[in-house]
Amino acid sequence: MPQDEASLIPDEPIPFSEMCSIIHSRITTFLAETPADWNCTDKEKKRLENVQAQTRISLRVIEEALEKYSLDELSLSYNGGKDCLVLLVLYLAALHSKTLKSSNFRPTSLECVFIQSSDPFEEVTKFVEKTSRQYNLNLSRYSAPMKGALTDYLQEKPNVQAIFVGTRRTDPHGTYLTHFDRTDHGWPDFMRIHPVIDWHYVDIWTFICHLKIPYCCLYDQGYTSLGGTRDTHPNPKLLRIKLPETIENGKYTHLPDIWKNTSKYRPAWELMDDEEERLGRDN
């Protein structure tokens, strides 16, 4: 999805309730679509149908969490990556659904925790800052190892009892997770909620592209899993071609004009295989 396409929400911040309403409406429209509405191949239509099914499951998990916990007891782990971005959009849609059912439920922002890498990409930092404003996120930032950062966060936010996490089944330590899991012994105690645990890599990108959700620009440069600058590289499976060309700042040079402004790597959403997602990560 080219980043200049019309996006899900405006670049400039709008009232929280209006933003949730826009997102809810778009997702409701998507869930009502049928294959006859999609101008694409049969394979792509099947993929969209799978994403519709996963979206319904995820929304039910989020709605269950909103029944179990008050809003001030919930937080979202947000780092600007593709998975938590999908989770964020689904969460905002679910919040609007709850406002339709309860006249007393009128949130104005969203509690989030951002645990930043020790060697962050500037592009990721800027994207988190921009989307924090766009989506009205009350973002608490930490630059520390995960366990210590979460310990500090929960001490500073004692109301928080559960945190939405964008972990998927193929992520490290994701194999045996369910939708609701308490933290393991030795970790600060809270409920981890995994609404997108059973989404595949291709599902994430199908959702992002179909709903035109703005994403971090690194994904257009071949990155498929974002960590820190020292352990994250473009995915070798997305390398376009191997030629004896000169590469300067990731761009082709000394080639016909049609190639000069082309990234050496294809965008992240062209990868299909879950098992290849982390080939650009050193750990």
Side-chain angles (χ1 to χ4, degrees), residues 9 13 21 35 43 62 68 88 96 109 128 147 150 152 157 160 173 201 224 238 245-247 256 259 272 276-277 280:
I9 63 170
S21 177
K43 186 175 182 179
I62 297 170
K68 289 182 175 180
L88 169 61
H96 183 72
S109 64
V128 170
K147 188 182 292 188
L150 288 170
D152 292 344
K157 302 283 184 176
V160 173
H173 313 297
Y201 178 88
T224 54
L238 292 174
E245 76 288 309
T246 300
I247 300 294
W259 285 100
M272 294 288 127
E276 296 176 346
E277 176 182 356

Side-chain angles (χ1 to χ4, degrees), residues 122-229:
E122 181 180 1
E123 293 90 341
V124 173
T125 301
K126 288 182 177 179
F127 181 76
V128 170
E129 291 173 352
K130 178 180 179 180
T131 51
S132 293
R133 295 190 299 270
Q134 280 182 296
Y135 292 106
N136 291 281
L137 306 183
N138 180 21
L139 195 70
S140 299
R141 301 165 183 265
Y142 298 87
S143 294
M146 182 74 68
K147 188 182 292 188
L150 288 170
T151 299
D152 292 344
Y153 175 63
L154 292 172
Q155 288 176 347
E156 293 173 17
K157 302 283 184 176
N159 285 339
V160 173
Q161 303 296 313
I163 300 177
F164 288 105
V165 183
T167 300
R168 297 186 0 261
R169 187 74 60 202
T170 52
D171 290 334
H173 313 297
T175 305
Y176 301 108
L177 294 177
T178 65
H179 288 135
F180 292 85
D181 294 287
R182 294 210 76 83
T183 48
D184 299 323
H185 178 72
W187 284 76
D189 183 42
F190 64 92
M191 181 65 75
R192 294 168 292 169
I193 309 174
H194 307 111
V196 298
I197 187 66
D198 290 316
W199 287 53
H200 291 286
Y201 178 88
V202 70
D203 296 333
I204 292 291
W205 279 110
T206 297
F207 185 86
I208 288 173
C209 292
H210 192 73
L211 271 71
K212 298 181 173 59
I213 302 170
Y215 54 83
C216 179
C217 63
L218 288 178
Y219 289 120
D220 282 333
Q221 300 170 32
Y223 292 86
T224 54
S225 176
L226 300 181
T229 57

Side-chain angles (χ1 to χ4, degrees), residues 222-246:
Y223 292 86
T224 54
S225 176
L226 300 181
T229 57
R230 290 192 293 268
D231 69 359
T232 307
H233 318 281
N235 194 312
K237 289 292 183 179
L238 292 174
L239 186 66
R240 288 184 185 273
I241 53 175
K242 295 181 179 179
L243 291 173
E245 76 288 309
T246 300

Side-chain angles (χ1 to χ4, degrees), residues 59-173:
L59 288 173
R60 286 197 293 270
V61 173
I62 297 170
E63 289 163 2
E64 182 180 349
L66 288 169
E67 291 298 319
K68 289 182 175 180
Y69 301 95
S70 63
L71 193 59
D72 67 344
E73 292 175 329
L74 290 167
S75 183
L76 169 74
S77 178
Y78 182 69
N79 62 7
K82 61 188 184 304
D83 304 319
C84 62
L85 184 60
V86 168
L87 175 53
L88 169 61
V89 168
L90 293 170
Y91 189 13
L92 293 169
L95 288 178
H96 183 72
S97 292
K98 183 154 185 175
T99 66
L100 297 177
K101 299 174 184 176
S102 173
S103 59
N104 296 324
F105 187 77
R106 291 291 181 270
T108 57
S109 64
L110 206 60
E111 181 66 36
C112 296
V113 55
F114 172 34
I115 301 176
Q116 191 174 44
S117 168
S118 60
D119 52 328
F121 283 94
E122 181 180 1
E123 293 90 341
V124 173
T125 301
K126 288 182 177 179
F127 181 76
V128 170
E129 291 173 352
K130 178 180 179 180
T131 51
S132 293
R133 295 190 299 270
Q134 280 182 296
Y135 292 106
N136 291 281
L137 306 183
N138 180 21
L139 195 70
S140 299
R141 301 165 183 265
Y142 298 87
S143 294
M146 182 74 68
K147 188 182 292 188
L150 288 170
T151 299
D152 292 344
Y153 175 63
L154 292 172
Q155 288 176 347
E156 293 173 17
K157 302 283 184 176
N159 285 339
V160 173
Q161 303 296 313
I163 300 177
F164 288 105
V165 183
T167 300
R168 297 186 0 261
R169 187 74 60 202
T170 52
D171 290 334
H173 313 297

